[in-house]
């Protein structure tokens, strides 16, 4: 039991910077926070306004939460008339063109990070990319694996055994992961500006808000991120084992997609 409790825990939390009027901030990433490209704890995700806080691996969940709280407090003291949006679905938006793509400077690495985000905007729209999320990173203690292998009675290398067990955990997450938003989700509302005039079957809560009466996480529903957008594009991850997973990702990167080819690599002199 001691070994099960002695893993490593980390958190990644995204939060939109929002102006005083409730709209997405159009200001650059605050210079007082350091460079988003190189800072280990405070960076940006898709948009210049979508901040991301990253804790290092910690020895307990409590330590990770404390570190995250310290990061947010540090940032709040350096925001000028802005706030951090608390929910996953975004604040008031005014269309794709009013969502600033993250900037990472003129180095090759920085330019590639921005170009990757420009491409996401062309493929899926920028509005979808400013949905915020929280990622929970966890690993078992190194000392657990030899004991676990002995209990299982497996005769194989420790690395192979560890890979097999982690992939099994991922398959269980695919089966039972819906329980997390079901039990702990609290994101049933979304600003009407998110839809940019598009039709939705969500009922109106008031003149500015749609909601789903029994929703727990609109971010994980049909209007948020879902894999159905990739159907027919050659993208299907296989979680049977590490090698199958890697092969499926390699296949995805090497499979042409007509929908994306139609966008072109370059338009008006700008890479897409």
């Amino acid at each position: 039991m001691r070994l099960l409790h002695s893993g490593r825990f980390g958190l990644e939390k995204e939060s939109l910077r929002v102006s005083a009027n409730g709209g997405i901030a159009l200001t650059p990433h605050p210079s007082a926070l350091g460079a988003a490209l190189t800072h280990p704890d405070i960076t940006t995700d898709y948009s210049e306004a979508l901040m991301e806080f990253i804790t290092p691996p910690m020895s307990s969940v409590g330590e990770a939460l404390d570190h995250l709280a310290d990061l947010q407090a540090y940032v709040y003291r350096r925001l000028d008339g802005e706030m951090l949006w608390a929910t996953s679905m975004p604040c008031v938006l005014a269309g794709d063109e009013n969502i600033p793509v993250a900037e990472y400077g003129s180095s090759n690495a920085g330019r590639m990070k921005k170009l990757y985000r420009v491409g996401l905007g062309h493929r899926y729209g920028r509005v979808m990319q400013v949905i915020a999320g929280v990622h929970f990173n966890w690993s078992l203690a190194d000392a657990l694996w030899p004991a676990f292998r002995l209990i299982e009675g497996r005769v194989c290398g420790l690395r192979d055994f560890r890979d097999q067990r982690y992939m099994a955990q991922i398959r269980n997450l695919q089966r039972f992961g819906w329980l997390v938003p079901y039990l702990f989700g609290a994101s049933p509302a979304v600003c009407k500006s998110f839809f940019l005039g598009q039709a939705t079957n969500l009922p109106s809560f008031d003149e500015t808000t749609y909601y789903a009466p029994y929703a727990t996480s609109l971010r994980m529903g049909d209007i948020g991120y879902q894999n159905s957008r990739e159907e027919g594009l050659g993208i299907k991850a296989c979680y049977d084992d590490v090698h199958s997973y890697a092969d499926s990702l390699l296949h995805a990167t090497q499979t042409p997609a007509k929908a994306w080819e139609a966008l072109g690599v370059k338009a008006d002199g700008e890479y897409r």
Side-chain angles (χ1 to χ4, degrees), residues 133-209:
V134 177
H135 301 155
F136 176 63
N137 303 317
W138 171 65
S139 63
L140 290 162
D142 288 341
L144 177 137
W145 293 106
F148 189 13
R149 181 178 58 176
L150 182 63
I151 292 171
E152 292 272 292
R154 300 294 297 276
V155 180
C156 63
L158 198 60
R159 174 60 187 268
D160 288 339
F161 177 73
R162 186 171 59 183
D163 288 347
Q164 292 165 12
R165 295 298 90 195
Y166 270 133
M167 293 305 295
Q169 289 182 4
I170 292 174
R171 291 194 297 274
N172 278 336
L173 182 63
Q174 297 289 320
R175 294 170 63 195
F176 302 118
W178 58 271
L179 272 171
V180 176
Y182 178 75
L183 294 175
F184 302 106
S187 180
V190 58
C191 180
K192 290 184 176 180
S193 66
F194 179 81
F195 294 94
L196 304 175
Q198 299 176 15
T200 177
N201 58 3
L202 292 175
S204 290
F205 180 78
D206 57 27
E207 61 181 16
T208 62
T209 307

Side-chain angles (χ1 to χ4, degrees), residues 78-90:
R78 287 157 180 80
L79 294 181
D80 184 12
E82 298 174 348
M83 66 185 75
L84 297 176
W85 197 246
T87 61
S88 56
M89 300 307 290

Side-chain angles (χ1 to χ4, degrees), residues 8-11 40-41 54-59 63-64 67 71:
R8 305 291 277 172
F9 306 88
L11 296 167
D41 297 336
I54 304 169
T55 76
M58 315 295 281
S59 59
E63 288 182 6
H67 191 93
L71 287 175

Side-chain angles (χ1 to χ4, degrees), residues 4 10 24 48 68 83 121 130 141 164 168 187 203 221 228 232 248 250 254 261:
L4 283 174
I24 186 171
E48 191 77 346
L68 181 63
M83 66 185 75
V130 293
Q164 292 165 12
S187 180
S228 61
S248 66
L250 182 62
Q254 295 179 341
E261 286 180 333

Side-chain angles (χ1 to χ4, degrees), residues 16 24 44-51 99-102 117 130:
L16 271 175
I24 186 171
T44 53
D45 192 80
Y46 177 80
S47 173
E48 191 77 346
L50 186 56
M51 301 198 68
I99 296 174
V101 176
R117 286 155 174 76
V130 293

